[in-house]
Amino acid sequence: MKDYRLRDDDKGVRDLCEKGQIGLERESLRITADGRMAKTPDPFYDEKYIVKDFCENQTEINTPVCNSVEEALNELEKYHRLIVERLSSLPVKEYLWPFSNPPYIENEADIPIANYTGKEHYKQVYREYLSERYGRYKMTFSGIHFNYSFSEELLHYNHQYFDEMKYESYRDYFYLELAAKAQAYNWVIVALTAASPLLDSSYVEKGVYGRDVFNGMGSTRCSELGYWNYFTPILDYTHISNYAESILSYIEKGLIRSAAELYFPVRLKSFSEYSPCSLCEDGVSHIELRMIDLNPLTPYGIDNRDVRFIQLFLVWLAFLPSVEMGAKEQVMAIQNTKNAARYDLKTVNIMMPDGRSLHASDAVYEILTKMEGFYERMGDKDTLKIIDYQKEKMVDPDTRYAWRIRKEFGDGFVEKGLAHVKNNTD
């Protein structure tokens, strides 16, 4: 198996490895002052970086491509403030719901499919298909996607070790191998960012409001109760054309309508519109991680230390040897994702890539310790505080977001959530 990882014995690679570009996508529901879903049309139609997701009242920030964690967070803050100001100025004031799980839902009419007209009407047609296939309730789950590309300077430098192939081919192989490793280890991020342990009873029983539902999950949207396909996709990581063809095969079989319907924690994106064909024709531009819960304990939905950690995590993966990702390993990786979404990580196990089975908390701690050793060898001492912050979550579960949220917002999830929103907005 060819290995396209970054070379850790080359100082030039080490000096460049943390240079990259970041884009954050954050979904949030618009709600009214009584905790219901807003019924108004999208008020951000004139904003390039603020779009709507599945439903008309699901507002999404897509930050511009940024050159640092700090810049990405500043952009997220800027557009968050713009949203809050505009919602506050509406004739009937609205709020952004800061949780991944929805507030009160009366029925599917509370989840109006996003309205598109003209040349974009196909987007509405696609959402109508999703509504029929999966139901609208699951569409209300919101989260954060992390988009990352390593600098072209770094990849061109590392390409010298693979100069028998064209640079564009090397870049595709590099990202394809990175995607396989990210899929194998994505459960680490799920466990560390899980922040959705509570649901309102109206999500599971029509007409019953104001009762908390705790289903044993730390991240409902990443658990077996979340948004998954009706089958476990198996992708081919041997070549970018094989990877694209494996996605296309599910479309041809009628299991999904488009690549966007492949609900996978990790995606590869091209330089143009997302599709299997564009990956082959235009090449891979970046990797997307899709398993991050909204964190209501932070002002803008994600802790700056988590954003920095995810960057460090991808850098660490880029130096790892390639991993075997056949059908067995991919099925195991998806189950690991769902296990890491549990509330109590001592009650479930993770199957490690080497075949060992560990309690999920111990598995995450082991990976964090390996990352710590890696960055110590790299001489990057400043990153160790970030890793220590993550390790504490596995040592003391009361520091995990899911545990803190259950304690702070339990016994009245929506009511307390509304009070939290208003205290931080009004």
Side-chain angles (χ1 to χ4, degrees):
M1 183 185 295
K2 192 80 172 179
D3 202 333
Y4 298 93
R5 60 177 158 163
L6 298 180
R7 295 286 298 262
D8 59 4
D9 57 352
D10 189 312
K11 186 178 184 300
V13 171
R14 296 198 303 272
D15 289 343
L16 295 169
C17 69
E18 292 184 31
K19 292 185 66 176
Q21 294 186 310
I22 299 172
L24 298 175
E25 303 171 36
R26 192 201 71 185
E27 307 152 346
S28 305
L29 293 168
R30 291 187 291 114
I31 63 167
T32 58
D34 60 356
R36 260 65 177 182
M37 309 273 261
K39 299 290 181 65
T40 52
D42 169 44
F44 305 103
Y45 56 89
D46 57 339
E47 293 292 339
K48 177 180 178 181
Y49 296 108
I50 303 175
V51 300
K52 49 194 175 186
D53 201 319
F54 171 81
C55 44
E56 190 72 12
N57 50 23
Q58 192 171 40
T59 298
E60 180 177 319
I61 296 172
N62 291 336
T63 70
V65 177
C66 302
N67 293 313
S68 68
V69 167
E70 293 75 17
E71 183 184 344
L73 289 167
N74 287 339
E75 290 293 317
L76 184 66
E77 177 184 355
K78 178 175 75 174
Y79 288 104
H80 173 86
R81 290 185 180 278
L82 188 157
I83 291 170
V84 169
E85 289 172 5
R86 189 169 298 184
L87 294 183
S88 296
S89 67
L90 292 176
V92 178
K93 185 173 182 178
E94 294 176 4
Y95 299 86
L96 275 184
W97 184 242
F99 299 86
S100 280
N101 293 346
Y104 303 131
I105 303 177
E106 185 173 348
N107 52 47
E108 288 200 340
D110 281 353
I111 312 165
I113 293 171
N115 181 48
Y116 290 96
T117 58
K119 292 181 179 179
E120 292 193 317
H121 183 62
Y122 72 93
K123 295 180 179 179
Q124 182 174 331
V125 172
Y126 175 63
R127 284 160 172 77
E128 289 167 352
Y129 155 77
L130 294 177
S131 174
E132 290 294 322
R133 188 169 180 82
Y134 300 95
R136 297 190 194 181
Y137 277 50
K138 282 188 178 181
M139 306 293 179
T140 61
F141 290 136
S142 299
I144 290 179
H145 299 175
F146 183 100
N147 297 274
Y148 192 77
S149 62
F150 288 83
S151 72
E152 289 290 298
E153 184 183 5
L154 166 66
L155 296 183
H156 273 292
Y157 188 95
N158 204 61
H159 175 238
Q160 67 181 297
Y161 297 104
F162 306 91
D163 58 5
E164 73 278 4
M165 65 171 63
K166 291 182 179 179
Y167 169 71
E168 291 77 13
S169 296
Y170 160 72
R171 183 178 57 204
D172 286 349
Y173 272 117
F174 169 82
Y175 278 114
L176 192 60
E177 185 176 278
L178 180 65
K181 291 184 283 193
Q183 185 63 16
Y185 289 97
N186 80 85
W187 46 270
V188 174
I189 297 176
V190 173
L192 293 171
T193 60
S196 54
L198 299 172
L199 281 161
D200 183 67
S201 50
S202 59
Y203 183 88
V204 297
E205 188 174 358
K206 187 175 179 180
V208 180
Y209 308 101
R211 299 179 187 172
D212 291 358
V213 174
F214 171 64
N215 48 33
M217 305 302 166
S219 172
T220 305
R221 58 191 285 276
C222 291
S223 74
E224 58 262 31
L225 303 175
Y227 205 170
W228 296 93
N229 296 113
Y230 292 122
F231 62 97
T232 300
I234 304 299
L235 304 182
D236 189 331
Y237 291 94
T238 58
H239 189 275
I240 194 63
S241 62
N242 296 337
Y243 178 85
E245 183 58 40
S246 61
I247 297 175
L248 285 170
S249 69
Y250 293 118
I251 299 173
E252 292 167 358
K253 293 172 185 175
L255 290 170
I256 56 175
R257 180 170 287 190
S258 72
E261 194 187 340
L262 197 68
Y263 299 119
F264 227 52
V266 179
R267 282 182 181 172
L268 289 177
K269 294 295 191 71
S270 70
F271 288 93
S272 58
E273 187 173 349
Y274 175 58
S275 74
C277 292
S278 67
L279 286 171
C280 295
E281 294 168 2
D282 303 324
V284 182
S285 64
H286 67 277
I287 190 169
E288 179 188 26
L289 304 182
R290 302 162 49 82
M291 70 293 284
I292 306 159
D293 275 355
L294 293 179
N295 184 352
L297 303 172
T298 63
Y300 312 114
I302 190 167
D303 192 288
N304 64 313
R305 291 165 291 188
D306 292 330
V307 180
R308 176 64 173 140
F309 172 78
I310 294 169
Q311 181 191 28
L312 295 172
F313 180 73
L314 286 172
V315 170
W316 174 74
L317 287 178
F319 282 93
L320 282 189
S322 58
V323 296
E324 183 67 37
M325 280 299 278
K328 181 184 76 173
E329 288 79 14
Q330 292 186 53
V331 170
M332 183 173 69
I334 292 294
Q335 188 57 53
N336 282 344
T337 302
K338 296 175 181 179
N339 286 356
R342 292 296 186 99
Y343 182 79
D344 190 341
L345 297 179
K346 289 290 187 183
T347 67
V348 289
N349 281 14
I350 295 292
M351 291 297 297
M352 303 292 277
D354 62 9
R356 290 177 298 134
S357 177
L358 298 175
H359 284 152
S361 55
D362 296 332
V364 174
Y365 193 88
E366 180 175 299
I367 296 302
L368 293 173
T369 301
K370 288 181 178 180
M371 287 182 63
E372 191 174 51
F374 169 79
Y375 283 104
E376 283 179 340
R377 293 191 300 275
M378 295 279 282
D380 194 348
K381 303 282 187 182
D382 292 339
T383 66
L384 300 184
K385 292 180 181 179
I386 299 293
I387 297 173
D388 282 343
Y389 173 73
Q390 306 298 341
K391 289 178 82 172
E392 183 62 22
K393 297 175 188 176
M394 297 300 105
V395 173
D396 180 3
D398 284 328
T399 64
R400 290 184 63 212
Y401 305 139
W403 287 54
R404 291 171 60 191
I405 289 165
R406 188 183 178 198
K407 183 177 181 179
E408 184 172 338
F409 296 98
D411 297 323
F413 166 51
V414 176
E415 184 180 343
K416 291 181 178 179
L418 275 173
H420 174 76
V421 171
K422 293 175 182 179
N423 287 339
N424 288 280
T425 304
D426 293 339

